[in-house]
Amino acid sequence: MSASAIPAGFRPVAIGGEFLKTIGPLHGHWDGEHVRLGFRVEERHANIARACHGGMLTSFADMQMAVVTHYQWPEIAGHSFPTISLTTDFVAPVPLGAWLEGSAEVIRATKSLVFLQGTASVEGATVLRFSGVYKIGPKRDYANPRDPFGLLPSPGKK
């Protein structure tokens, strides 16, 4: 696989508004159980040390957790999930050209809050650990609230 190739099963996802359009695209994959997001680290994502900037990693963690809620917690799928608290632990640098891939889990949802945690890795090695608390906001106008980012396979495809 070339340094710029996107792993099989991942597709671009439109999330996060104009800001994410500027730093993205992020790519997503839903395997029926877990949503994974990923992106290829480019020069524009780099800090002065020529590794992925912490701000990019934090934005990635924020989106990973918000997206996962729609797919793993059907009772609240389709809502907006504004961030209340976000914690990131930078475990190792992420080099230019690396494919960064994350996953997260909903730990608990109350009537008004969702608690999540996750990790991101490069070639199987954890480089980022994160957790967050999100408010369950109003319903959004998604065509399919259970698949707002088009990650489910199309009928007839695997």
Side-chain angles (χ1 to χ4, degrees):
M1 179 182 330
S2 75
S4 63
I6 304 304
F10 281 83
R11 60 179 92 160
V13 290
I15 56 176
E18 292 302 314
F19 177 69
L20 262 290
K21 285 180 187 174
T22 302
I23 63 173
L26 296 182
H27 293 78
H29 176 72
W30 166 248
D31 66 9
E33 224 176 290
H34 298 98
V35 171
R36 293 178 299 169
L37 294 182
F39 74 98
R40 182 74 59 194
V41 179
E42 301 173 9
E43 288 277 348
R44 63 196 175 103
H45 302 129
N47 60 21
I48 197 165
R50 300 194 40 79
C52 192
H53 192 283
M56 180 63 191
L57 294 172
T58 301
S59 294
F60 174 80
D62 190 29
M63 290 299 96
Q64 176 68 64
M65 289 187 286
V67 166
V68 112
T69 306
H70 295 279
Y71 292 84
Q72 291 183 355
W73 212 266
E75 296 83 5
I76 56 176
H79 286 260
S80 63
F81 298 105
T83 310
I84 291 178
S85 172
L86 174 63
T87 301
T88 52
D89 298 314
F90 305 107
V91 177
V94 180
L96 287 175
W99 173 257
L100 180 84
E101 189 171 308
S103 65
E105 296 289 331
V106 174
I107 298 169
R108 180 169 186 241
T110 68
K111 286 184 175 185
S112 61
L113 301 173
V114 183
F115 299 82
L116 300 104
Q117 65 184 9
T119 60
S121 61
V122 172
E123 296 180 7
T126 300
V127 296
L128 179 66
R129 183 176 63 176
F130 46 89
S131 62
V133 180
Y134 294 77
K135 179 170 179 44
I136 300 172
K139 278 270 195 189
R140 305 265 321 254
D141 189 22
Y142 293 118
N144 181 354
R146 286 288 294 126
D147 186 23
F149 308 109
L151 297 178
L152 295 178
S154 302
K157 290 187 178 180
K158 292 190 176 190

